[in-house]
Amino acid sequence: MSDDAQTPEGVRPEVAAAVGDWRAYVEAKMGFRNHWYPVRFSNELAEGQLITLQVLGEKLLLKRIDGKVYAIRDRCLHRGVPLSRKPDCYTKDTITCWYHGYTYRFQTGELVNILAVPDSRLIGRRKIQSFPCQEAKGLIFVFIGDMDPVPPLSQDVPPGFLDDDVMILGKHRVVNSNWRLGAENGFDALHIFIHKDTTLRHFRTFNFPIGHTPLPGAVQVVEDADGPKGVIDDFAQHKPIWDGVIDGRVVVRGPRSQQVQGTSASVGTSIWLPGVLKVEQFPLPGLTQFEWYVPIDGKTHLYVQTIGQQVQTDEDRQDFASNFESIYKPHGLDGFNADDIWAREVTEPFYADDYGWVDEMLCEPDTTILEWRRLASRANRGVQTPQDLR
Amino acid sequence: MSDDAQTPEGVRPEVAAAVGDWRAYVEAKMGFRNHWYPVRFSNELAEGQLITLQVLGEKLLLKRIDGKVYAIRDRCLHRGVPLSRKPDCYTKDTITCWYHGYTYRFQTGELVNILAVPDSRLIGRRKIQSFPCQEAKGLIFVFIGDMDPVPPLSQDVPPGFLDDDVMILGKHRVVNSNWRLGAENGFDALHIFIHKDTTLRHFRTFNFPIGHTPLPGAVQVVEDADGPKGVIDDFAQHKPIWDGVIDGRVVVRGPRSQQVQGTSASVGTSIWLPGVLKVEQFPLPGLTQFEWYVPIDGKTHLYVQTIGQQVQTDEDRQDFASNFESIYKPHGLDGFNADDIWAREVTEPFYADDYGWVDEMLCEPDTTILEWRRLASRANRGVQTPQDLR
Amino acid sequence: MSDDAQTPEGVRPEVAAAVGDWRAYVEAKMGFRNHWYPVRFSNELAEGQLITLQVLGEKLLLKRIDGKVYAIRDRCLHRGVPLSRKPDCYTKDTITCWYHGYTYRFQTGELVNILAVPDSRLIGRRKIQSFPCQEAKGLIFVFIGDMDPVPPLSQDVPPGFLDDDVMILGKHRVVNSNWRLGAENGFDALHIFIHKDTTLRHFRTFNFPIGHTPLPGAVQVVEDADGPKGVIDDFAQHKPIWDGVIDGRVVVRGPRSQQVQGTSASVGTSIWLPGVLKVEQFPLPGLTQFEWYVPIDGKTHLYVQTIGQQVQTDEDRQDFASNFESIYKPHGLDGFNADDIWAREVTEPFYADDYGWVDEMLCEPDTTILEWRRLASRANRGVQTPQDLR
């Protein structure tokens, strides 16, 4: 670990050693390895198209061939140049390095030829790293790791996401913070304070306390061997706070409506490995928000925001798509979540040199966050390190 | 020290170890801790106004409440975000963190509430770092440190600066060099060479050698327990050099006027902890220039330039203010000192990696600078390090 | 070495230790010390003119005095400032530091005076580093090092370059890659693949395989004590490949002309210490291209491109100059070599942190490159390190 600490993606070993049972979480600056991550929507990659992207520090080349998506590392084995800088695709299935003719098959990563050295002993014996791809619910997922066999996608998404009758729509954007600040911002019950001025509050009628604290029993850890691993925080078992008081005087008050049951529309928030949040009944009753914080490198993440709704008919699907474009996306994913994105980016500097993990001063409701850190440290399938990129 | 060396503000321990009796000076890349520093002019902070600034690496939040200035660290204890990024001031005396409602009292730094967790055990038991403030001569001074009791301001300013009949006016600007290059440039008797073309020379009549060397007895170290600590260089006891000679030929000559006594108008220059210069009879006879080199971080400093004059009447005050604006500031602080600022910034790269402190090749008149380095290493109240910022 | 690894120009010791018999080559990120390097064309420095440039990390000040070129380090001994930032040249032979008057003689580097301290004991006893200069074939060469006596220039240029009847013309530009990626790109027989679309192919008739592999005996190492040290690759003893095949199908084919003998117009390529390539019969038959990859720092090099032709008469010289401007420069040095420059810059990131030297996967024809690395590690006169710049 000490060598890594000198690289931009390395982690200070003295900090990792200081946090006890969530050490792996501190070390996972670039995310957890051997997990499935959504990287693009399916409709962003047409047949035969080649795109590049970065996830967990890996620079990937994705191509759709005969309908199926394949991903290989965008770096020639020979002299390390990006294949994408001048793509030479002489056949549908292969890419040839523009520099010296090393040729790879997309489906396997196999070195199938070196054009000017057709009898090289390397041919057929070397592979560029390839990454399993799978499409589901309109998203392209990539498995970053080398585990064999590859675990099923169903273990890496929140319960309900893959349900047959659920339709998913969404968007993505790059956020300038570490992925963990995204995950914790989303799961954090107390951060509702930053949304107190959201325009969403004026669009819909709901109770909006300035914060709420979990009561005993609110938090549940899910760690079944064959399913997704996560922490569920049941907002119905929270104590909401409506009035903010300073020096004995109420200085801020959460809006409260008689027409709505419960403390807020959300009945529960849960966070799942490898870093995906599920918010029930949000942004409106009947909807579920699923959002991923996909590490790009140690200091940026791809924020993949999706909303799911149960649909039965084509009309249901059309209604959902129409509402998504006109309401859920502008008011929720853009408007409401803009506060979250801003908060993550402002928090980034404090954690950038790792010391934030030991210098922070958590308070009582943050125990839910600590449960997540412990679960993630325990149940992940590996920590991505700079060595994994060599 | 070795950990620090990897940070931008750290100091190479092998360099600090190599300089003998001025080691602390080399270590003080970010300045000396537990001293008073001027950070703004009083009229730059109105009642109720909130400003941010950085000094000795500390990011501060200053507010004037009921006429008095208070300073706290601009970083929430909870998740380390800058309070200033979205200031929520619900009462005159407090600031509430925009993220999760941690609320601090400006006067003490005390955590007086967490809005959504009103019964947290942290409340009343934790403090954000606060810094003593004091105003004098139209300047706001902040004490960066944690010494208790706080030493009086009078020990950290040059003799005469606080005199009742002295009126002070000035300006400040940011210079892209370490603060020590500012201090040494100012105190350095030999650097007058860079001013040989100054327009000030044409504005006033004075003798201007190309350099001068201290004779025995010129330098006096002041180190009284209860007063300011500094080094005085008496220019009256210097040997001036009027002619620059190369290969036996005079190539440059300092202007010499019969009408002026002494080697130059200045009768003495002195440098004081924590880094403030006093130049007598400058920029014109009857005036005194006091200037601070306040560390912002390891590679920039706030250059606080002031001029003092004895005043008895309101007319005296008006005359001084008028002359300051029309003469002293444009010809002195702007024109003359622009050469100094330029020289410091050009010198910065050589010292930026610390090696300059051992690779430099001082000559005989630089003994005055060595006296200052030794005095500063002996009499400072602490060295600011990256750890002090955590 | 471990201290250096923390600087931008330092080399990771674990990588250097891993490559066996070409360790010095890996360590020579800033080039080989105690060698001659071309830095400018003679007509770029007029009588009395002062220029600055950087080579092997050294910032130099060059001046032509009475026809002869002199080079000194552009950094005052006193406080380390660049003399060039405000040049004060009071005599033809000297430069005076603008800050405190330290005065140096160009021819020797000797500190000849400190203007305001004319009796300093440093005068006549200290020297700024000076560097031997020599002009040949219209180029200014500088010897970076401290070897005494200085080896003759003839040992550091390819055979034939200094021949009396050879006329040399050229140009130079800065390339954003380490110098070794320049040297290896030039010497690499396989990289011809990147030139397959060059416009030069349409301008002249020549056979242009997609690559060629050295047969036994093609490579010859030259290591005579009194001459230049280099590796020669004889293209006449190469096996050319005309067809690129993927999955049994020809996908790309090199153009072949019946009118031209041999595999290509070049009959041989050779690389010489300290990093200079000779390409025979190129860019056209009857010409020789000599090109240097002169380290500027660890991540940029000066690409000095020259073409030589045997000339007997003034008419020959005029013809060559005319053809150089209208044909060889635009089609060869600009057009053809632009592909090479692009390739080097794209390769740079993989080697920038040194790991590329162990993570690369060379193939059979790259043995010629390994010969060069070994020869360079064995026969160089020293490795330039960050310490050499202090």
Side-chain angles (χ1 to χ4, degrees), chain B residues 163-348:
Chain B
D163 285 0
D164 284 346
D165 60 351
V166 168
M167 176 175 167
I168 297 286
L169 290 171
K171 60 176 292 187
H172 59 73
R173 50 179 154 173
V174 174
V175 177
N176 291 319
S177 91
N178 186 269
W179 71 276
R180 294 165 298 190
L181 302 184
E184 300 194 356
N185 165 268
F187 189 52
D188 171 2
L190 214 55
H191 89 283
I192 191 172
F193 188 65
I194 66 169
H195 294 299
K196 61 186 180 300
D197 301 317
T198 180
T199 56
L200 190 65
R201 216 178 71 185
H202 305 290
F203 174 76
R204 57 176 279 203
T205 305
F206 64 153
N207 287 334
F208 214 92
I210 60 166
H212 36 91
T213 308
L215 299 175
V219 177
Q220 179 195 350
V221 177
V222 178
E223 212 172 344
D224 303 330
D226 299 334
K229 279 79 176 169
V231 181
I232 301 172
D233 188 11
D234 181 4
F235 282 15
Q237 299 184 53
H238 274 223
K239 176 187 165 196
I241 300 291
W242 299 98
D243 293 340
V245 176
I246 299 176
D247 291 342
R249 188 161 62 86
V250 174
V251 295
V252 59
R253 178 162 284 172
R256 199 168 188 175
S257 162
Q258 299 302 333
Q259 293 129 310
V260 182
Q261 300 286 4
T263 62
S264 87
S266 298
V267 300
T269 298
S270 53
I271 182 93
W272 305 86
L273 274 172
V276 41
L277 189 80
K278 177 182 179 182
V279 188
E280 296 175 56
Q281 308 299 333
F282 197 84
L284 284 180
L287 303 174
T288 305
Q289 185 159 335
F290 300 94
E291 58 178 42
W292 277 261
Y293 319 98
V294 182
I296 294 174
D297 55 25
K299 57 185 190 296
T300 49
H301 67 273
L302 187 74
Y303 184 25
V304 179
Q305 305 168 275
T306 73
I307 291 171
Q309 180 173 307
Q310 286 185 316
V311 290
Q312 310 296 342
T313 65
D314 276 358
E315 201 184 335
D316 285 355
R317 303 180 69 86
Q318 284 169 21
D319 282 354
F320 176 53
S322 167
N323 286 333
F324 176 82
E325 285 302 324
S326 60
I327 302 175
Y328 312 151
K329 193 168 75 170
H331 287 273
L333 305 190
D334 285 342
F336 189 88
N337 290 134
D339 293 333
D340 296 306
I341 290 171
W342 183 85
R344 295 175 213 167
E345 296 192 344
V346 176
T347 312
E348 172 66 17

Side-chain angles (χ1 to χ4, degrees), chain A residues 293-344:
Chain A
Y293 318 100
V294 182
I296 294 172
D297 55 24
K299 55 185 193 295
T300 49
H301 67 274
L302 186 74
Y303 184 25
V304 179
Q305 306 169 272
T306 72
I307 290 172
Q309 181 174 304
Q310 286 183 317
V311 290
Q312 310 295 344
T313 64
D314 275 357
E315 200 184 337
D316 285 356
R317 300 180 71 86
Q318 283 168 21
D319 282 353
F320 176 52
S322 167
N323 286 333
F324 177 81
E325 285 303 324
S326 60
I327 301 175
Y328 312 151
K329 193 167 77 168
H331 286 274
L333 305 189
D334 286 342
F336 188 88
N337 290 135
D339 293 334
D340 297 306
I341 291 172
W342 184 85
R344 295 174 214 167

Side-chain angles (χ1 to χ4, degrees), chain B residues 85-130:
Chain B
R85 283 297 291 272
K86 187 177 157 194
D88 269 348
C89 290
Y90 291 111
T91 78
K92 189 175 69 177
D93 292 345
T94 63
I95 185 164
T96 296
C97 181
W98 50 265
Y99 204 165
H100 302 91
Y102 278 48
T103 301
Y104 305 93
R105 193 176 309 285
F106 269 106
Q107 290 88 338
T108 59
E110 187 194 0
L111 177 67
V112 294
N113 209 332
I114 301 174
L115 293 192
V117 197
D119 50 359
S120 171
R121 63 176 181 78
L122 299 176
I123 295 171
R125 295 190 182 172
R126 293 289 184 275
K127 283 188 178 189
I128 206 168
Q129 173 107 38
S130 65

Side-chain angles (χ1 to χ4, degrees), chain C residues 327-359:
Chain C
I327 302 174
Y328 314 150
K329 193 167 74 169
H331 286 273
L333 306 190
D334 286 341
F336 188 88
N337 290 136
D339 293 333
D340 296 306
I341 290 172
W342 184 85
R344 296 174 213 167
E345 295 191 343
V346 176
T347 314
E348 172 65 17
F350 186 64
Y351 290 86
D353 67 357
D354 305 329
Y355 286 125
W357 301 110
V358 285
D359 290 344

Side-chain angles (χ1 to χ4, degrees), chain A residues 6 12 14 181 184-185 188 190-191 193-194 196 210-211 213 239 241 243-247 249 251-252 342-343 346-347 350-351 355 357-366 369 373, chain B residues 3 6-7 75-82 85-86 88 90-94 96-103 105 111-122 126-127 387 390:
Chain A
Q6 291 174 26
R12 289 177 196 269
E14 72 273 23
L181 302 183
E184 300 194 354
N185 164 269
D188 172 2
L190 213 55
H191 89 283
F193 188 64
I194 65 169
K196 63 185 180 299
I210 60 166
T213 307
K239 176 185 164 198
I241 300 290
D243 293 339
V245 176
I246 299 176
D247 292 341
R249 188 160 62 84
V251 296
V252 61
W342 184 85
V346 176
T347 313
F350 186 64
Y351 289 87
Y355 286 125
W357 301 111
V358 285
D359 290 344
E360 63 183 12
M361 189 182 289
L362 300 184
C363 59
E364 292 80 354
D366 292 326
I369 290 174
R373 293 179 186 176
Chain B
D3 261 344
Q6 292 174 25
T7 72
R75 196 175 75 198
C76 183
L77 292 172
H78 185 210
R79 304 299 297 253
V81 298
R85 283 297 291 272
K86 187 177 157 194
D88 269 348
Y90 291 111
T91 78
K92 189 175 69 177
D93 292 345
T94 63
T96 296
C97 181
W98 50 265
Y99 204 165
H100 302 91
Y102 278 48
T103 301
R105 193 176 309 285
L111 177 67
V112 294
N113 209 332
I114 301 174
L115 293 192
V117 197
D119 50 359
S120 171
R121 63 176 181 78
L122 299 176
R126 293 289 184 275
K127 283 188 178 189
Q387 270 73 33
R390 285 185 51 195

